[in-house]
């Protein structure tokens, strides 16, 4: 199986791609102007911020950046396209020839390009409405080579790509629009306009099954364009694709050449690669680290800081605790103090973590306690309440009761106490 | 010579001057169909007209195209905004060939007629702009040229027409014909007026990326270059008058030399390929949805709906849309569109080399103004060949000016002077010097003081 994707994401800019309108507005047709409405006489002007973000994305995808980016007109007739052409890039694309690492494999990126979003068609029963708020919103189209070979790789790729986009600053909670190209026997079927990751996977499964059944029955898959229906969870043929569509591309003569390679961008961290590197370097569990840092800037910041101080293991635990207490925005200095407490074998309650984050010292009463002390307290209860211990294997309430006794005295994590108690009881009963 | 703008400022305006001027102008408009839209009352001040393809806030701007009837832009073109900002008063929208598609000014409803003799064409596509300049004394026209739309009507109506270096005047607000070729320019009765207005409208504009700020030069050239290929197929009457003109210039100290420029004879096909390719994308928006005539029948499929809406395009517009769509289609693009782009690059270089040596001078048009029915009877290829002299500087973005140098009967004969990029002032200096002892003749002087 070969899968290739064309992923469209909206860029986090303050204005649209070719005008000053806001790219986000609630009330339909309020964020519009002569330019994004394509009024006769109006001309586009490129949003430099969009170009810069696009370059950052292309670099994060290891693309070569074009010296001079340019724009072309893609002509087609549809009500959502006020000029009847879309300004896009193709050969003038910002980036080409990149890749995304998925597991041990590279999924090649053919092209990263800037283009304008058409208006939104709102379908009613008897008629359709057009909302031009979306017209001219800056999109990045990311086109892969057909290098994705399985559903697992598809999931892996999407997760990697979303993580990279997250670190560039893209709002990954906004719906992605994806064209899915999938072929089992060489004939390419394109499924247009799949929105969201869940639909992408469902569409891929359905199409895989559909094509598989055709082949198993001795038939041949037709090259065509299909569309996915989320309600029916299936794809339907929209038109046969005998040759490439005719768009009559020409250079957009209202726009010029834009030096792209010289644009400076911050380096985008590739979270999964960092996780792999730490795993190789410090023997940490790559999956655990990925889980922490793929979609969390603060986690990555703190992890890098911890690794820099040679305390990566403690940092991983600390970050898990911070996430639980919703204290990820702790600064480096206080994070260092936290690592120091933990390094001394102290356990930290939620209140203690909050105090540390606020820059306060943590007293015993606020919940910092050493591991030995907890062990000692557990032993004391176990010795003094033999009745409960006897019941513990048959009555889980007894177990929880012991944990509760400890927590009454120490404001520490219930999970930690449970773990220690289990250990103690296991060794005792053997 | 002083500009008429300064002259107008200094003169006393008698009571009822503006009312009388507007009345006289309306009468002229009745006769010669100059304006597509005129205001009810006249704003006080020096008047400027605006070609119908240049947007004026709140005024219907249809590029004289039926399909765009009713389009009222909610913004001023940058050039219009700058004129108003400097106290000029807007007098009306001037008629033109539909979207700029034409050489004679006859491709629109109730097309303009030449004020010198209404049986003759004004030339196009800035037809009304030239006619307005020919009838009105204190007035300048904001016009536009893609392939000769300022030079040609200026020559046929006996006024001065200036087309600047591509990129010096913002195109924001111009209803596009061919964006890489369209230039907003000026028509007036004196070169000094053109210089004044050019300084008002030129200069970079954030709304037009292709518009730049550059120092404009006035480098005088003493050599006048006649490009032999441009002198083919010129009417004998035009040729002999032009010979007398160049002899006169020689006697004034100019050196006249002959040169040939490689590929310049290919400028016409290259121009019609690039301009129609771009035009066919620019006109794609007139589908009856957001822009263009709305049809009432919504039960049809999209393609039928679009086809019906686009049936109100004129014949020449349809021809150019079809031609332009063909030359950019995937199977022939490299043969036409891309080749034409390469030819344009070569021509910019070749013409640039020659222009560093001197001005290129020629008659503006190969013929005298034809009668309306003669022009209407020309087949398209013959009509396109009438642009053979005006197209090369337009294709390569070189500034050029057309001014009257002689008269044959009532009709003026126009000469076209071309210079290097950004040497625009030199053209006005040259024509201005010519005006010192060659008086232009105007049959009408509406608004004289």
């Amino acid at each position: 199986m070969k899968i290739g994707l064309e992923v469209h994401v909206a860029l986090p800019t303050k204005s649209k791609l070719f005008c000053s309108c806001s790219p986000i507005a609630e009330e339909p047709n309020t964020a519009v102007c002569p330019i994004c409405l394509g009024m006769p006489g109006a001309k586009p002007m490129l949003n430099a911020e969009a170009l810069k973000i696009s370059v950052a994305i292309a670099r994060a995808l290891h693309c070569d950046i074009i010296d001079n980016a340019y724009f072309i007109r893609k002509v087609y007739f549809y009500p959502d396209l006020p000029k009847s052409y879309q300004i896009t890039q193709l050969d003038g694309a910002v980036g080409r020839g990149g890749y995304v690492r998925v597991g041990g494999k590279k999924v090649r990126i053919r092209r990263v390009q800037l283009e304008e979003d058409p208006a939104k068609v709102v379908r009613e029963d008897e008629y359709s409405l057009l909302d031009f708020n979306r017209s001219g919103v800056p999109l990045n189209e990311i086109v892969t080579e057909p290098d994705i070979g399985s559903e697992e790789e598809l999931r892996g790729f999407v997760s990697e790509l979303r993580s990279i986009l997250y670190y560039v600053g893209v709002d990954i909670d906004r719906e992605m629009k994806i064209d899915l190209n999938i072929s089992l026997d060489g004939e390419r079927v394109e499924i247009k306009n799949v929105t969201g990751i869940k639909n992408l996977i469902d569409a891929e499964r359905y199409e895989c099954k559909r094509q598989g059944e055709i082949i198993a029955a001795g038939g041949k898959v037709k090259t065509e364009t299909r569309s996915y229906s989320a309600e029916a969870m299936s794809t339907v043929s929209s038109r046969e694709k005998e040759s490439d569509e005719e768009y009559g591309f020409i250079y957009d003569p209202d726009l010029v050449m834009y030096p792209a390679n010289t644009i400076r961008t911050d380096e985008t961290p590739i979270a999964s690669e960092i996780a792999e590197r730490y795993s190789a370097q410090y023997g940490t569990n790559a999956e655990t680290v990925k889980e922490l840092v793929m979609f969390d800037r603060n986690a990555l910041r703190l992890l890098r800081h911890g690794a820099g101080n040679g305390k990566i293991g403690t940092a991983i635990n600390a970050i898990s605790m911070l996430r639980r207490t919703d204290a990820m925005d702790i600064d480096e200095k206080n994070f260092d103090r936290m690592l120091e407490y933990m390094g001394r074998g102290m356990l930290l309650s939620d209140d203690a973590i909050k105090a540390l984050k606020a820059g306060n010292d943590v007293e015993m009463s606020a919940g910092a306690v050493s591991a030995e002390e907890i062990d000692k307290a557990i032993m004391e209860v176990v010795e003094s309440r033999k009745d409960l211990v006897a019941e513990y294997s048959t009555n889980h309430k007894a177990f929880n009761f012991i944990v509760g006794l400890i927590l009454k005295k120490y404001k520490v994590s219930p999970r930690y106490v449970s773990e220690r108690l289990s250990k103690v009881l296991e060794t005792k009963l053997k | 010579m002083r500009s008429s703008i300064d002259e107008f400022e200094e003169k006393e305006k008698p009571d009822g001057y503006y009312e009388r001027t507007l009345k006289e102008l309306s009468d002229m408009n009745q006769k010669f169909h100059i304006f597509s839209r005129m205001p009810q009352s006249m704003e006080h001040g020096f008047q400027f007209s605006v070609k119908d393809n240049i947007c004026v806030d709140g005024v219907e701007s249809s590029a004289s195209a039926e399909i765009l009837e009713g389009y009222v832009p909610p913004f001023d073109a940058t050039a219009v905004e700058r004129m108003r900002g400097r106290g000029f008063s807007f007098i009306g929208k001037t008629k033109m060939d539909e979207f700029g598609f034409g050489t004679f000014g006859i491709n629109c409803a109730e097309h303009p007629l030449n004020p010198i003799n209404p049986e003759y064409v004004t030339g196009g596509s800035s037809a009304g702009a030239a006619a307005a300049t020919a009838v009105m004394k204190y007035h300048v026209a904001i016009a536009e040229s893609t392939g000769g739309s300022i030079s040609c009507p200026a020559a046929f109506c006996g006024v001065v027409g200036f087309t600047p270096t591509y990129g010096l005047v913002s195109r924001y607000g111009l209803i596009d014909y061919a964006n890489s070729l369209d230039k907003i320019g000026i028509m007036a009765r004196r070169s000094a007026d053109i210089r004044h207005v050019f300084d008002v409208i030129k200069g970079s504009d954030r709304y037009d990326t292709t518009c730049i700020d550059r120092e404009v030069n006035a480098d005088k050239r003493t050599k006048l270059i006649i490009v032999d290929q441009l002198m083919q197929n010129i009417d004998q009457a035009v040729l002999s008058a032009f010979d007398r003109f160049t002899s006169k210039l020689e006697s004034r100290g100019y050196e006249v030399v002959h040169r040939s420029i490689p590929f310049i004879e290919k400028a016409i096909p290259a121009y019609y390929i690039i301009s129609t390719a771009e035009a066919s994308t620019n006109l794609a928006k007139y589908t009856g949805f957001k822009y263009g005539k709305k049809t009432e029948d919504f039960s049809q499929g999209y393609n039928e709906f679009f086809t019906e809406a686009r049936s109100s395009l004129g014949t020449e517009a349809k021809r150019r849309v079809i031609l332009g769509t063909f030359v950019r289609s995937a199977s022939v693009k490299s043969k036409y569109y891309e080749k034409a782009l390469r030819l344009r690059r070569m021509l910019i270089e070749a013409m640039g080399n020659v222009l560093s040596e001197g001005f290129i001078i020629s008659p503006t048009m190969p013929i005298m103004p034809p009668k309306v029915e003669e022009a209407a009877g020309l087949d398209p290829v013959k009509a396109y060949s009438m642009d053979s002299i005006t197209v090369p500087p337009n294709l390569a973005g070189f500034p050029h000016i057309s001014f009257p140098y002689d008269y044959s009967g009532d009709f003026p004969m126009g000469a076209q002077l071309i210079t290097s990029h950004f040497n625009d002032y030199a053209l006005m200096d040259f024509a201005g010097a010519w005006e010192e002892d060659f008086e232009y003749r105007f049959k009408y002087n509406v608004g004289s003081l």
Side-chain angles (χ1 to χ4, degrees), chain A residues 51-67:
Chain A
L51 179 62
K52 184 176 173 171
I53 296 168
S54 191
V55 169
I57 290 174
R59 285 204 177 116
L61 301 177
H62 306 101
C63 287
D64 293 328
I65 306 300
I66 196 169
D67 287 339

Side-chain angles (χ1 to χ4, degrees), chain A residues 31-294:
Chain A
V32 294
C33 75
I35 299 170
C36 57
L37 289 175
M39 281 192 178
K43 313 267 180 283
M45 47 180 178
L46 180 66
N47 177 346
E49 192 193 2
L51 179 62
K52 184 176 173 171
I53 296 168
S54 191
V55 169
I57 290 174
R59 285 204 177 116
L61 301 177
H62 306 101
C63 287
D64 293 328
I65 306 300
I66 196 169
D67 287 339
N68 289 299
Y70 61 83
F71 293 87
I72 57 158
R73 294 176 172 183
K74 176 179 180 176
V75 186
Y76 63 94
F77 294 85
Y78 204 71
D80 64 3
L81 203 58
K83 301 188 293 294
S84 298
Y85 62 79
Q86 181 195 31
I87 304 178
T88 175
Q89 292 200 296
L90 285 186
D91 289 349
V94 167
R96 63 187 62 252
Y99 63 86
V100 171
R101 239 187 260 277
V102 181
K105 175 173 178 175
K106 278 181 184 176
V107 172
R108 288 169 300 157
I109 302 295
R110 183 182 300 169
R111 191 170 70 232
V112 174
Q113 70 179 6
L114 260 180
E115 61 188 30
E116 53 178 349
D117 209 350
K120 190 172 167 186
V121 181
V122 183
R123 300 202 187 278
E124 304 288 337
D125 286 345
E126 300 277 306
Y127 52 87
S128 294
L129 297 170
L130 289 168
D131 180 2
F132 288 90
N133 283 351
R134 210 181 68 186
S135 176
V137 166
L139 294 182
N140 236 34
E141 186 187 49
I142 298 157
V143 184
T144 76
E145 299 289 347
D147 289 349
I148 300 166
S150 64
E151 184 182 316
E152 193 195 339
E153 283 180 12
L154 180 61
R155 285 178 187 278
F157 173 79
V158 170
S159 167
E160 285 296 326
L161 181 64
R162 289 182 78 234
S163 171
I164 290 166
L165 292 172
Y166 164 81
Y167 275 105
V168 177
V170 170
D171 177 3
I172 53 169
D173 293 329
R174 276 174 86 172
E175 227 167 37
M176 282 182 182
K177 265 185 298 184
I178 303 166
D179 297 337
L180 167 71
N181 288 288
I182 175 165
S183 82
L184 263 58
D185 68 345
E187 293 299 316
R188 186 171 71 106
V189 174
E190 182 177 24
I191 298 141
K192 283 254 185 210
N193 268 325
V194 183
T195 49
I197 311 306
K198 183 190 174 293
N199 289 342
L200 176 71
I201 302 294
D202 288 346
E204 179 269 336
R205 274 189 191 161
Y206 178 85
E207 195 51 31
C208 206
K209 186 163 161 275
R210 188 187 71 88
Q211 293 186 26
E213 281 166 3
I214 293 173
I215 294 163
K220 203 146 172 47
V221 177
K222 248 193 327 191
T223 294
E224 63 180 351
T225 299
R226 300 176 72 84
S227 58
Y228 176 73
S229 156
E231 292 82 44
M233 278 178 67
S234 67
T235 65
V236 289
S237 180
S238 37
R239 62 173 178 260
E240 287 197 26
K241 202 170 179 178
E242 277 158 9
S243 62
D244 282 340
E245 288 117 300
E246 175 69 83
Y247 292 116
F249 300 108
I250 63 165
Y251 297 104
D252 192 319
D254 280 333
L255 295 163
V256 297
M257 297 275 196
Y258 300 87
N261 203 9
T262 50
I263 295 174
R264 300 170 82 102
T265 54
D266 294 335
E267 196 182 329
T268 306
I270 312 293
S272 64
E273 288 181 8
I274 293 168
E276 298 288 350
R277 201 165 63 234
Y278 285 166
S279 148
Q281 218 168 325
Y282 308 108
T284 52
N285 183 309
E287 287 312 313
T288 309
V289 175
K290 266 191 208 172
E291 173 70 31
L292 285 182
V293 298
M294 285 287 271

